[in-house]
Amino acid sequence: MLDGRTLRDVRAHGKHLFYEWEPDVVLHVHLGLFGTFRAFRSDPRPPTSGTRLAMANADVTIYLAGPTVCEVLDPAEADAIHDRLGPDPLARRSARSRAEFARRLARRTIPVGAALLDQKVIAGIGNVYRAELLFLCGIAPDRAPRSLSPHEVTSIWDTAATQLRMGEKTDRIITVDPVDVGVRRRGQLHPDEHVYVYQRGGEPCRRCSTPIEHVEMAGRTIWFCPSCQA
DNA sequence: TACATATGATCAT
DNA sequence: TGATCCTATGTAA
């Protein structure tokens, strides 16, 4: 279906990837929990039974295995998927998107910790960032969206944009301010010091030493500091 | 070698 | 809320 076509563009919205092939065919990929791309610069191994997609040109061969979604769509179908997603903090037009986020968040009655995983509210956050963002903003995960001040809502969006941009740049999730672990620069952080709360249940908060707690929310575990996020 | 576990999202109920 | 998709990795055995 895609053989021989030229790749015109690749776009991302949240964790959804859209490969636009000429003319007017869109490959929609979502890696989910298990999906991985593997690239072979030379001498590609033959695809295995788990390989769902192979893309190759003269220089590189890329395999995709384990994705939640790998489907060929027409542009209208791709648009429909795009339209049902909430705003992406990494997209341009951020001020407008922030207002849209505030609107969509305010309509929900679920806890803010659950809303951050709802792709119709905000796209692309994920389980690590939802916990880290709420820590950075000093917001308890079980707060009702309606109880959040405009400033708190703004800070969630702006912090998401900043942190996601940093993650994109470094290809790592590093939310910790080096000052909080007693070093000067990001590069001096030990890998165990990259996050404030994610998967740190029982360990002392990096800011106040209170033991980190965790709770189940939207079917997944979220960690938080009961003192910093009172 | 076996097993638990993970940065996700959808759908049925 | 639980089942489902079903790869790679790290740790235990």
Side-chain angles (χ1 to χ4, degrees):
Chain A
M1 211 162 197
L2 297 176
D3 284 357
R5 291 181 190 265
T6 300
L7 182 61
R8 180 197 303 145
D9 195 13
V10 184
R11 295 179 294 114
H13 191 96
K15 293 177 174 171
H16 294 258
L17 307 176
F18 300 93
Y19 292 74
E20 298 178 354
W21 304 84
E22 293 177 351
D24 292 336
V25 177
V26 181
L27 173 70
H28 174 217
V29 172
H30 193 299
L31 295 178
L33 209 48
F34 309 130
T36 53
F37 285 111
R38 287 185 119 165
F40 297 88
R41 288 274 154 207
S42 59
D43 212 15
R45 293 212 295 273
T48 64
S49 62
T51 303
R52 296 286 172 256
L53 171 75
M55 292 185 284
N57 63 15
D59 302 320
V60 64
T61 297
I62 294 171
Y63 293 143
L64 170 64
T68 292
V69 177
C70 179
E71 61 186 359
V72 174
L73 306 174
D74 62 46
E77 292 171 318
D79 286 346
I81 288 166
H82 193 274
D83 289 347
R84 68 166 197 247
L85 295 169
D88 177 350
L90 285 181
R92 290 183 286 279
R93 318 286 299 278
S94 193
R96 180 189 207 159
S97 297
R98 186 167 66 193
E100 181 66 17
F101 165 63
R103 246 189 321 274
R104 290 172 179 236
L105 180 63
R107 285 206 297 263
R108 307 308 311 267
T109 56
I110 56 178
V112 62
L116 289 182
L117 288 186
D118 185 335
Q119 301 300 300
K120 293 188 285 297
V121 172
I122 183 171
I125 296 301
N127 202 30
V128 180
Y129 280 119
R130 78 154 165 172
E132 295 299 308
L133 295 178
L134 290 177
F135 175 86
L136 289 168
C137 296
I139 297 170
D142 62 358
R143 293 272 300 281
R146 288 184 58 185
S147 78
L148 299 173
S149 71
H151 173 263
E152 285 176 319
V153 173
T154 296
S155 85
I156 291 173
W157 178 266
D158 289 348
T159 304
T162 303
Q163 291 297 328
L164 290 176
R165 192 69 72 191
M166 185 70 73
E168 182 183 46
K169 194 168 128 188
T170 62
D171 201 25
R172 301 236 155 91
I173 299 177
I174 304 176
T175 58
V176 168
D177 183 333
V179 168
D180 283 325
V181 291
V183 300
R184 269 180 210 286
R185 294 184 301 121
R186 257 187 144 75
Q188 296 174 314
L189 290 172
H190 187 276
D192 294 345
E193 299 172 328
H194 284 184
V195 293
Y196 283 107
V197 292
Y198 178 74
Q199 283 199 329
R200 295 195 65 239
E203 294 174 46
C205 174
R206 302 194 192 284
R207 291 218 175 122
C208 76
S209 299
T210 301
I212 299 301
E213 295 183 7
H214 60 88
V215 66
E216 207 75 6
M217 195 168 278
R220 322 200 37 202
T221 306
I222 184 167
W223 292 263
F224 62 98
C225 171
S227 175
C228 294
Q229 300 169 256

